[in-house]
Short mmCIF file of all heavy atoms in Angstrom, two decimals:
data_model
loop_
_atom_site.label_atom_id
_atom_site.label_comp_id
_atom_site.label_asym_id
_atom_site.label_seq_id
_atom_site.Cartn_x
_atom_site.Cartn_y
_atom_site.Cartn_z
N GLN V 30 -13.89 12.77 -4.70
CA GLN V 30 -13.62 11.69 -3.75
C GLN V 30 -12.42 10.85 -4.22
O GLN V 30 -11.56 10.50 -3.42
CB GLN V 30 -14.86 10.82 -3.57
CG GLN V 30 -14.70 9.76 -2.51
CD GLN V 30 -15.96 8.92 -2.33
OE1 GLN V 30 -16.85 8.94 -3.18
NE2 GLN V 30 -16.02 8.19 -1.26
N GLU V 31 -12.36 10.57 -5.52
CA GLU V 31 -11.25 9.81 -6.07
C GLU V 31 -9.94 10.57 -5.90
O GLU V 31 -8.91 9.97 -5.57
CB GLU V 31 -11.49 9.50 -7.54
CG GLU V 31 -12.55 8.46 -7.77
CD GLU V 31 -12.81 8.20 -9.25
OE1 GLU V 31 -11.93 8.52 -10.09
OE2 GLU V 31 -13.89 7.70 -9.56
N LYS V 32 -9.97 11.87 -6.12
CA LYS V 32 -8.77 12.70 -5.98
C LYS V 32 -8.29 12.70 -4.52
O LYS V 32 -7.09 12.53 -4.25
CB LYS V 32 -9.07 14.12 -6.44
CG LYS V 32 -7.88 15.05 -6.39
CD LYS V 32 -8.23 16.43 -6.92
CE LYS V 32 -7.00 17.31 -6.97
NZ LYS V 32 -6.94 18.26 -5.92
N GLU V 33 -9.22 12.87 -3.58
CA GLU V 33 -8.86 12.85 -2.16
C GLU V 33 -8.29 11.50 -1.76
O GLU V 33 -7.30 11.42 -1.03
CB GLU V 33 -10.08 13.17 -1.30
CG GLU V 33 -10.56 14.59 -1.40
CD GLU V 33 -11.89 14.81 -0.69
OE1 GLU V 33 -12.41 13.86 -0.05
OE2 GLU V 33 -12.43 15.93 -0.79
N PHE V 34 -8.91 10.43 -2.25
CA PHE V 34 -8.45 9.09 -1.93
C PHE V 34 -7.05 8.86 -2.48
O PHE V 34 -6.18 8.33 -1.77
CB PHE V 34 -9.42 8.04 -2.49
CG PHE V 34 -8.99 6.63 -2.22
CD1 PHE V 34 -9.17 6.07 -0.97
CD2 PHE V 34 -8.41 5.87 -3.23
CE1 PHE V 34 -8.77 4.76 -0.71
CE2 PHE V 34 -8.01 4.56 -2.97
CZ PHE V 34 -8.18 4.01 -1.72
N THR V 35 -6.81 9.27 -3.70
CA THR V 35 -5.50 9.11 -4.32
C THR V 35 -4.43 9.85 -3.54
O THR V 35 -3.33 9.34 -3.30
CB THR V 35 -5.53 9.61 -5.79
OG1 THR V 35 -6.52 8.87 -6.49
CG2 THR V 35 -4.18 9.45 -6.46
N GLU V 36 -4.74 11.07 -3.09
CA GLU V 36 -3.79 11.85 -2.28
C GLU V 36 -3.53 11.18 -0.94
O GLU V 36 -2.39 11.15 -0.46
CB GLU V 36 -4.32 13.27 -2.07
CG GLU V 36 -4.31 14.09 -3.34
CD GLU V 36 -5.04 15.43 -3.20
OE1 GLU V 36 -5.57 15.73 -2.10
OE2 GLU V 36 -5.08 16.18 -4.19
N LEU V 37 -4.58 10.65 -0.32
CA LEU V 37 -4.45 9.97 0.96
C LEU V 37 -3.54 8.74 0.81
O LEU V 37 -2.63 8.52 1.62
CB LEU V 37 -5.82 9.56 1.49
CG LEU V 37 -5.84 8.86 2.85
CD1 LEU V 37 -5.44 9.83 3.95
CD2 LEU V 37 -7.23 8.30 3.13
N VAL V 38 -3.77 7.95 -0.21
CA VAL V 38 -2.96 6.75 -0.44
C VAL V 38 -1.51 7.14 -0.73
O VAL V 38 -0.58 6.52 -0.20
CB VAL V 38 -3.54 5.90 -1.59
CG1 VAL V 38 -2.56 4.82 -2.04
CG2 VAL V 38 -4.86 5.26 -1.15
N ALA V 39 -1.31 8.16 -1.53
CA ALA V 39 0.05 8.60 -1.85
C ALA V 39 0.79 9.03 -0.58
O ALA V 39 1.98 8.74 -0.41
CB ALA V 39 0.02 9.73 -2.86
N ALA V 40 0.09 9.69 0.32
CA ALA V 40 0.71 10.17 1.56
C ALA V 40 1.04 9.03 2.51
O ALA V 40 1.94 9.17 3.35
CB ALA V 40 -0.21 11.18 2.24
N HIS V 41 0.33 7.92 2.39
CA HIS V 41 0.51 6.81 3.35
C HIS V 41 0.94 5.51 2.67
O HIS V 41 0.81 4.44 3.26
CB HIS V 41 -0.79 6.59 4.12
CG HIS V 41 -1.17 7.78 4.95
ND1 HIS V 41 -0.58 8.07 6.15
CD2 HIS V 41 -2.07 8.78 4.72
CE1 HIS V 41 -1.10 9.18 6.64
NE2 HIS V 41 -2.00 9.63 5.78
N LYS V 42 1.48 5.63 1.47
CA LYS V 42 1.89 4.45 0.71
C LYS V 42 2.93 3.61 1.47
O LYS V 42 2.84 2.39 1.51
CB LYS V 42 2.45 4.90 -0.64
CG LYS V 42 2.83 3.79 -1.56
CD LYS V 42 3.32 4.36 -2.89
CE LYS V 42 3.64 3.25 -3.86
NZ LYS V 42 4.08 3.78 -5.15
N SER V 43 3.89 4.27 2.10
CA SER V 43 4.93 3.52 2.81
C SER V 43 4.36 2.76 4.01
O SER V 43 4.82 1.67 4.34
CB SER V 43 6.06 4.45 3.25
OG SER V 43 5.60 5.39 4.19
N THR V 44 3.35 3.32 4.66
CA THR V 44 2.70 2.63 5.77
C THR V 44 2.04 1.35 5.27
O THR V 44 2.20 0.28 5.88
CB THR V 44 1.63 3.54 6.41
OG1 THR V 44 2.26 4.67 6.98
CG2 THR V 44 0.84 2.81 7.47
N ILE V 45 1.33 1.44 4.18
CA ILE V 45 0.64 0.28 3.63
C ILE V 45 1.65 -0.80 3.24
O ILE V 45 1.48 -1.97 3.57
CB ILE V 45 -0.25 0.67 2.42
CG1 ILE V 45 -1.30 1.69 2.85
CG2 ILE V 45 -0.90 -0.56 1.80
CD1 ILE V 45 -2.02 2.38 1.70
N TYR V 46 2.73 -0.39 2.57
CA TYR V 46 3.76 -1.36 2.18
C TYR V 46 4.43 -1.98 3.40
O TYR V 46 4.73 -3.17 3.42
CB TYR V 46 4.82 -0.71 1.28
CG TYR V 46 4.52 -0.89 -0.18
CD1 TYR V 46 4.22 0.20 -0.98
CD2 TYR V 46 4.53 -2.15 -0.78
CE1 TYR V 46 3.93 0.04 -2.33
CE2 TYR V 46 4.24 -2.31 -2.11
CZ TYR V 46 3.95 -1.22 -2.88
OH TYR V 46 3.66 -1.39 -4.21
N SER V 47 4.67 -1.19 4.43
CA SER V 47 5.28 -1.73 5.65
C SER V 47 4.43 -2.85 6.23
O SER V 47 4.95 -3.90 6.63
CB SER V 47 5.46 -0.64 6.71
OG SER V 47 6.38 0.32 6.28
N VAL V 48 3.14 -2.62 6.29
CA VAL V 48 2.24 -3.66 6.81
C VAL V 48 2.28 -4.88 5.92
O VAL V 48 2.43 -6.01 6.40
CB VAL V 48 0.80 -3.12 6.95
CG1 VAL V 48 -0.15 -4.24 7.33
CG2 VAL V 48 0.74 -1.99 7.97
N CYS V 49 2.18 -4.68 4.62
CA CYS V 49 2.18 -5.81 3.69
C CYS V 49 3.48 -6.62 3.78
O CYS V 49 3.45 -7.86 3.72
CB CYS V 49 1.96 -5.32 2.25
SG CYS V 49 0.34 -4.57 1.98
N LEU V 50 4.60 -5.94 3.94
CA LEU V 50 5.88 -6.63 4.04
C LEU V 50 6.00 -7.47 5.30
O LEU V 50 6.75 -8.45 5.33
CB LEU V 50 7.03 -5.62 3.99
CG LEU V 50 7.34 -5.05 2.62
CD1 LEU V 50 8.29 -3.86 2.72
CD2 LEU V 50 7.92 -6.12 1.71
N MET V 51 5.26 -7.12 6.33
CA MET V 51 5.29 -7.92 7.55
C MET V 51 4.48 -9.21 7.40
O MET V 51 4.60 -10.12 8.20
CB MET V 51 4.75 -7.13 8.74
CG MET V 51 5.69 -6.06 9.23
SD MET V 51 7.32 -6.69 9.69
CE MET V 51 6.93 -7.66 11.12
N PHE V 52 3.67 -9.31 6.35
CA PHE V 52 2.83 -10.48 6.17
C PHE V 52 3.27 -11.36 5.01
O PHE V 52 2.70 -12.42 4.80
CB PHE V 52 1.37 -10.07 6.00
CG PHE V 52 0.77 -9.64 7.30
CD1 PHE V 52 0.86 -8.33 7.71
CD2 PHE V 52 0.16 -10.56 8.14
CE1 PHE V 52 0.34 -7.92 8.94
CE2 PHE V 52 -0.36 -10.17 9.36
CZ PHE V 52 -0.27 -8.85 9.76
N SER V 53 4.27 -10.93 4.28
CA SER V 53 4.77 -11.76 3.20
C SER V 53 6.20 -11.35 2.86
O SER V 53 6.57 -10.19 3.00
CB SER V 53 3.90 -11.64 1.96
OG SER V 53 4.43 -12.46 0.93
N LYS V 54 6.96 -12.33 2.38
CA LYS V 54 8.33 -12.06 1.95
C LYS V 54 8.43 -12.12 0.43
O LYS V 54 9.45 -11.79 -0.13
CB LYS V 54 9.27 -13.08 2.58
CG LYS V 54 9.33 -12.99 4.07
CD LYS V 54 10.19 -14.09 4.62
CE LYS V 54 10.25 -13.98 6.11
NZ LYS V 54 9.62 -15.06 6.81
N ASP V 55 7.37 -12.54 -0.21
CA ASP V 55 7.34 -12.68 -1.65
C ASP V 55 6.88 -11.37 -2.28
O ASP V 55 5.82 -10.85 -1.93
CB ASP V 55 6.39 -13.83 -2.03
CG ASP V 55 6.30 -14.02 -3.53
OD1 ASP V 55 7.29 -14.47 -4.11
OD2 ASP V 55 5.24 -13.69 -4.09
N GLU V 56 7.68 -10.84 -3.21
CA GLU V 56 7.38 -9.54 -3.82
C GLU V 56 6.01 -9.51 -4.49
O GLU V 56 5.27 -8.54 -4.35
CB GLU V 56 8.46 -9.16 -4.84
CG GLU V 56 9.79 -8.81 -4.20
CD GLU V 56 10.85 -8.48 -5.23
OE1 GLU V 56 10.54 -7.74 -6.19
OE2 GLU V 56 11.97 -8.97 -5.08
N ASP V 57 5.68 -10.56 -5.23
CA ASP V 57 4.39 -10.60 -5.91
C ASP V 57 3.24 -10.63 -4.91
O ASP V 57 2.21 -9.98 -5.10
CB ASP V 57 4.29 -11.82 -6.85
CG ASP V 57 5.23 -11.71 -8.04
OD1 ASP V 57 5.55 -10.56 -8.44
OD2 ASP V 57 5.64 -12.75 -8.57
N GLU V 58 3.43 -11.39 -3.84
CA GLU V 58 2.39 -11.48 -2.83
C GLU V 58 2.22 -10.14 -2.10
O GLU V 58 1.10 -9.76 -1.76
CB GLU V 58 2.73 -12.59 -1.84
CG GLU V 58 1.55 -12.98 -0.98
CD GLU V 58 1.85 -14.24 -0.19
OE1 GLU V 58 2.74 -14.20 0.68
OE2 GLU V 58 1.19 -15.25 -0.46
N VAL V 59 3.33 -9.44 -1.87
CA VAL V 59 3.25 -8.11 -1.25
C VAL V 59 2.44 -7.17 -2.14
O VAL V 59 1.59 -6.42 -1.65
CB VAL V 59 4.66 -7.54 -0.96
CG1 VAL V 59 4.60 -6.06 -0.58
CG2 VAL V 59 5.35 -8.33 0.15
N GLU V 60 2.68 -7.24 -3.43
CA GLU V 60 1.91 -6.41 -4.36
C GLU V 60 0.43 -6.77 -4.32
O GLU V 60 -0.43 -5.89 -4.34
CB GLU V 60 2.45 -6.56 -5.79
CG GLU V 60 3.82 -5.94 -6.00
CD GLU V 60 3.83 -4.43 -5.81
OE1 GLU V 60 2.84 -3.75 -6.16
OE2 GLU V 60 4.85 -3.93 -5.30
N ASP V 61 0.14 -8.07 -4.24
CA ASP V 61 -1.26 -8.51 -4.14
C ASP V 61 -1.89 -8.00 -2.84
O ASP V 61 -3.04 -7.53 -2.84
CB ASP V 61 -1.36 -10.03 -4.20
CG ASP V 61 -1.05 -10.59 -5.58
OD1 ASP V 61 -1.05 -9.80 -6.56
OD2 ASP V 61 -0.81 -11.80 -5.68
#
């Protein structure tokens, strides 16, 4: 399950970051 989850996140990492960037302009906050 951890392996599948890691692969899923890796495949959609840019999507997650895109969403986070729309909610904050601060790099540290985006990481949070």
Side-chain angles (χ1 to χ4, degrees):
Q30 186 179 15
E31 287 178 21
K32 182 177 185 256
E33 290 172 4
F34 179 77
T35 302
E36 290 170 0
L37 182 68
V38 168
H41 297 282
K42 184 177 183 179
S43 64
T44 296
I45 300 167
Y46 266 114
S47 294
V48 173
C49 295
L50 285 168
M51 288 303 293
F52 286 88
S53 180
K54 296 176 180 113
D55 179 70
E56 289 178 45
D57 291 333
E58 195 170 66
V59 169
E60 290 296 325
D61 289 344

